[in-house]
Amino acid sequence: MSEPSTIPWTLRRARPSDAEAFARMMQEHEVFRQLLQLPFPDAELWRTRLSSQNAPTSPELHLVAEVQGEVIASAGLHPAATQLRRRHVMALGMSVAVPWQRRGVGSALMTELCNYADNWLGVLRIELGVYADNLPAQALYRKFGFELEGRQRAYALRDGEYVDSLMMARLHPHPPRWAPAAPTAA
C-alpha cells in the first residue's frame, strides 16, 4: 500500500478487475476487523461480487478511491432487502486502507454516494451498521446526516469477543417531488 502523500485520489466505479486490490485491502487487520469480513479474503469471491454489482439493471453503486492506480478505499450502496416494500432503502458499506483513514477519502466517497442516492435513485432511506467502538466512522456518518436508531448487543464476533453494533440511518433530506411545468400559451 502506498504511503499517503499530497497525491490526490480519484473516484470511480469498482470493477471486477479490482478483486485483487479488494482482497489485499481486506487483509489489513484494522480494516477487516471493522467490517463483517473474515481473515484471508478471496479475490475470486470479490470478483464474483463486483461482477454482479455491475449488471446493467442493478441499482447498486460501488465506488473505489485510487491513487496512481492503487485502490485505497471502497464504499457502496446496495439494496437493503429483496422485499419490494423496502425498495426505497439502500444499505451502505465502506472500507478505507489504514494509511488513508482520516484524510478525507471517506467524506469524498460519502458525498458521491449520497448524491447518487438522493438525485439519481430517489432513495428515501440509507442504513448501515457500525461497531459501537468505531467512533471515527460514527462521526463521519453523522456528518452526512445519519442518526443513531438502535444498538444490537453482541452483534458479531471480532477478535474473539462479541461486540455491539449501532444501527444508523439517513432519510433523504429533501425527498423528490413532482414539479409540474408551467402552462404554455396555446
Side-chain angles (χ1 to χ4, degrees):
M1 191 70 49
S2 298
E3 283 302 311
S5 65
T6 58
I7 300 171
W9 57 80
T10 56
L11 302 182
R12 65 167 172 79
R13 185 181 283 269
R15 16 181 209 252
S17 59
D18 294 322
E20 311 292 339
F22 273 64
R24 269 192 310 279
M25 187 169 47
M26 298 300 167
Q27 285 177 355
E28 292 183 49
H29 183 260
E30 288 304 313
V31 173
F32 78 74
R33 75 181 303 270
Q34 297 296 357
L35 310 171
L36 282 176
Q37 303 293 327
L38 291 172
F40 310 108
D42 180 64
E44 196 53 44
L45 174 67
W46 277 109
R47 194 173 337 283
T48 301
R49 284 182 188 171
L50 294 169
S51 294
S52 70
Q53 293 170 3
N54 283 330
T57 58
S58 174
E60 295 183 72
L61 178 62
H62 198 153
L63 298 176
V64 297
E66 65 179 359
V67 172
Q68 298 178 327
E70 183 178 3
V71 173
I72 61 166
S74 80
L77 287 173
H78 314 283
T82 57
Q83 295 91 359
L84 290 176
R85 291 174 54 191
R86 286 189 35 94
R87 64 180 162 219
H88 64 288
V89 181
M90 297 290 272
L92 186 141
M94 178 181 291
S95 59
V96 179
V98 173
W100 291 91
Q101 292 176 4
R102 296 175 194 86
R103 295 181 177 272
V105 179
S107 289
L109 288 163
M110 290 292 294
T111 296
E112 293 305 320
L113 291 178
C114 288
N115 176 58
Y116 182 73
D118 293 348
N119 298 315
W120 298 101
L121 292 183
V123 170
L124 181 62
R125 176 185 170 86
I126 303 173
E127 57 190 28
L128 59 86
V130 59
Y131 290 123
D133 60 358
N134 191 345
L135 301 179
Q138 292 169 39
L140 173 65
Y141 302 140
R142 282 190 181 92
K143 175 178 162 184
F144 284 88
F146 283 78
E147 296 180 15
L148 177 65
E149 291 190 332
R151 182 181 204 100
Q152 296 173 299
R153 296 178 301 149
Y155 180 74
L157 185 65
R158 182 183 69 185
D159 291 334
E161 297 179 338
Y162 287 105
V163 294
D164 293 357
S165 178
L166 303 179
M167 296 308 302
M168 298 181 78
R170 171 191 180 268
L171 296 180
H172 194 306
H174 307 286
R177 294 199 271 175
W178 178 54
T184 58

